[in-house]
Amino acid sequence: QVKQATNQIVMNCADIDIITASYAPEGDEEVHATGFNYQNEDEKVTLSFPSTLQKGTGTLKIDFVGELNDKMKGFYRSKYTTPTGDTRYAAVTQFEATDARRAFPCWDEPAIKATFDISLVVPKDRVALSNMNVIDRKPYPDDENLVEVKFARTPVMSTYLVAFVVGEYDFVETRSLDGVLVRVYTPVGKAEQGKFALEVAAKTLPFYKDYFNVPYPLPKIDLIAIADFAAGAMENWGLVTYRETALLIDPKNSCSSSRQWVALVVGHELAHQWFGNLVTMEWWTHLWLNEGFASWIEYLCVDHCFPEYDIWTQFVSADYTRAQELDALDNSHPIEVSVGHPAEVDEIFDAISYSKGASVIRMLHDYIGDEDFRKGMNLYLTKFQQKNAATEDLWESLEKASGKPIAAVMNTWTKQMGFPLIYVEAEQQEEDKVLKLVQKKFCASGPYTGEDFPMWMVPISICTSDDPTCAKMQILMDKAELTLVLKDVKPDQWVKLNLGTVGFYRTQYSPDMLESLIPAIKDLSLPPVDRLGLQNDLFSLARAGIISTVEVLKVMEAFVNEPNYTVWSDLSCNLGILSTLLSHTDFYEEIQVFVKDVFSPIGERLGWDPKPGEGHLDALLRGLVLGKLGKAGHKATLEEARRRFKDHVEGKHVLSADLRSPVYVTILKHGDSTTLDTMLKLHKQADMQEEKNRIERVLGAISQPELIQKVLTFALSEEVRPQDTVSVIGGVAGGSKQGRKAAWKFVRDNWEELYNRYQGGFLISRLIKLTVDGFANDKMAAEVKAFFESHPAPSAERTVQQCCENILLNAAWLKRDAENIHQYFLQRKAPPAMV
């Protein structure tokens, strides 16, 4: 549609050569364009016409040539091996955020929506898929080996959601309860491995239809596994693409954590079919709406399908704490970021958009209540369907439904970066407890000393030992200080803030309040998610130098009776961070002893083999604990791991999928060149991508310098898929102190190749973070900064700043606390003094 007379048409276009272009006004002669001017920097092309195009509608025809690239973005080729061992290529797409313009010239912005009629001319023995169902398939006139496949017209949609795939695939199918045809496409011969995802998808579609009270708008949905894929998955409307490891499950060879991962990713991408595809963000500034929302509701969906996963507790350790760790840095950013150039879009696909976004939506859902939240969601989706919306539009719908000041509250969480630390102290006044609360911005570098005083509107919930699972009081804290009276709370009753660890803030208790909570960890009267939150808050307060690390170590020892997987998982992460820090000292062995002391009682209780009646979480816990003990060099665990590995390799007794990671990491950590060779052989033989990835992630545990080099060289070899190189190098950096130095040197020496491979995408940011985050002296921070000044990576600029900040924080932490920690470890082992 020409809105005002012009002799130029400007559109997005990248790596495409236009041969001819013409414009035909409705019912008139077509006019041929006489000039094509490419603005490569801006990824645009200007078509110039010899005469003025008048107002009105018409047809723009473009004949062009593009390239099927190797960049895992745009229209690209994905390499796969056939069951007989031949190497072949599939042609697949990945357009989000700004790469539809690499497949065809278009107006490549989320708010410029259109319908798409797609036809593909493909070899007749290949599968061809797109967003919609096939309506016609006929021989191609010029070549009998080709067919032309025509797809139905799409609804009005954004370019970044268009998709097509041409390759060789098998599939399994079913119809969901509401009649949608669901298929999962797998590599040839692996249809069986699509069944788990198929089941999840078939349960999920009706769940969302019911939750939003809006039907799924397309006749079909396909989920397909792509060999070379940069992200985890992509929610293209009606044709969702996945990494193989995010979709394929083998009943025998897949571990419990892979099942859970597949369930979450399927739940996430299907949520986007409504939230993102039917209603799309106005501009990339509102990307967080898409991603934060889908990252929250994927848990709701998995909780519905698999209540035994206790997935909401896992949310806290996977998303909530991860977001808080990043958001406490000076180099964090608000959830809503203004985005100009396409290069800036890639940078915001980070833990703030996803994990903090999901965490504040979880807090909002809790504050509004499920019923009004669903009403508001239905209002929003109905009002904006097939259109675009901004963050404010969602707040308005939720405000209408709930009558609460949603926009005022949420603006404090999305428009400013960071989150509050709430300091609380209690005073007994006869039968009541009087609480005094103070909020200040929480900073990773210690107490906040800024000039301005950022404030949040914080939904606060408070419970007591009377009923740890029920809020005794709920209040919106909208000022810097608040005094509250809790009626009828006896002196010996404890008080805890942030019931369920839902509010996005950290809590610092006065010493006596904290003291009274410790027994509630030991006797498990505090629910798991609250035990986890308490420990995590203390750990970050220590990391920030607000309390001493020794205090946290003492609290960690109170977790001896802990039965919950997720609580252990978070504890384990934090001990891992501390262990990395102390690898820079000469008492690194001491923390290994501490880890063995903390983990061996639960290790003994669990043993190596599943017991009757155990479930998903027991399997996850066993893997976590054995891996932790094995890495720390726990003698009995190491011996058993070696014995079982030998049986596994000789084919006497294959290791169950859940035990593979812990066994592999243990024998490598304490292994030699023979061990590494055996692992590389297992990698070569593995038929499943999941098993290859499982091995790739642990190779870095090997500790001899020459073997570390061998692993790094392997990372860039043909044996490793391009998207997985990053986790091999990251594994080396996280494996040992020597590994960290070697990985950083390797990244610098091979920078050209690595950067060309991942330029622009988020994999480059991940690579940098994994490689340098563990350093702990000021000199290294300067070295990292200098390297990226001379080797710029624009889409990873913020990541580099965050890494340098983390290195300086680690250095300060080490200076501040190392000696105290050392003394504590020594005194733990000292025999009690004779009286």
Side-chain angles (χ1 to χ4, degrees), residues 358-378:
S359 301
V360 300
I361 285 174
R362 172 169 167 258
M363 171 169 72
L364 174 66
H365 172 265
D366 187 68
Y367 171 61
I368 295 179
D370 191 60
E371 197 183 327
D372 286 349
F373 186 85
R374 289 169 70 164
K375 261 192 230 150
M377 290 309 310
N378 173 266

Side-chain angles (χ1 to χ4, degrees), residues 553-564:
L553 291 169
K554 286 179 183 161
V555 172
M556 284 178 168
E557 298 199 63
F559 282 85
V560 284
N561 309 317
E562 183 56 61
N564 184 284

Side-chain angles (χ1 to χ4, degrees), residues 327-341:
D327 206 25
L329 297 177
D330 293 341
N331 286 296
S332 180
H333 64 87
I335 282 181
E336 292 186 61
V337 201
S338 59
V339 173
H341 194 270

Side-chain angles (χ1 to χ4, degrees), residues 560-683:
V560 284
N561 309 317
E562 183 56 61
N564 184 284
Y565 159 69
T566 315
V567 178
W568 274 114
S569 164
D570 198 69
L571 203 61
S572 160
C573 270
N574 288 339
L575 281 169
I577 290 168
L578 197 57
S579 181
T580 299
L581 184 78
L582 298 180
S583 67
H584 301 281
T585 67
D586 50 12
F587 60 92
Y588 179 62
E589 279 316 305
E590 304 293 332
I591 187 159
Q592 303 315 311
V593 173
F594 183 79
V595 168
K596 285 184 277 196
D597 288 351
V598 170
F599 279 85
S600 50
I602 177 86
E604 275 157 35
R605 285 206 297 278
L606 284 166
W608 278 79
D609 297 303
K611 301 175 183 63
E614 280 190 356
H616 177 77
L617 293 161
D618 303 289
L620 293 180
L621 180 58
R622 180 173 288 109
L624 173 80
V625 171
L626 292 174
K628 204 73 179 165
L629 286 168
K631 264 201 303 203
H634 182 257
K635 201 158 167 293
T637 307
L638 176 56
E639 284 165 7
E640 184 63 9
R642 283 182 172 148
R643 188 184 71 73
R644 289 184 182 235
F645 183 69
K646 189 166 176 289
D647 287 353
H648 177 67
V649 174
E650 290 169 2
K652 276 189 207 151
H653 190 91
V654 173
L655 278 167
S656 74
D658 283 315
L659 286 176
R660 288 180 203 170
S661 279
V663 167
Y664 294 169
V665 79
T666 301
I667 56 133
L668 277 163
K669 180 86 184 162
H670 309 281
D672 54 20
S673 61
T674 323
T675 322
L676 181 59
D677 289 342
T678 309
M679 285 308 302
L680 292 173
K681 199 161 109 206
L682 286 179
H683 181 277

Side-chain angles (χ1 to χ4, degrees), residues 69-132:
N69 70 54
D70 281 326
K71 295 179 180 168
M72 291 195 284
K73 60 184 189 180
F75 196 11
Y76 72 92
R77 55 181 206 163
S78 163
K79 184 167 151 187
Y80 64 96
T81 313
T82 63
T84 54
D86 297 341
T87 297
R88 292 193 188 156
Y89 291 92
V92 303
T93 57
Q94 167 61 35
F95 291 164
E96 189 176 26
T98 55
D99 292 312
R101 61 192 69 172
R102 291 176 196 281
F104 51 90
C106 55
W107 286 276
D108 197 10
E109 295 185 2
I112 307 178
K113 289 190 167 188
T115 59
F116 293 86
D117 298 310
I118 292 171
S119 298
L120 298 173
V121 178
V122 303
K124 64 180 181 199
D125 59 350
R126 293 292 191 269
V127 173
L129 300 170
S130 184
N131 306 80
M132 297 298 287

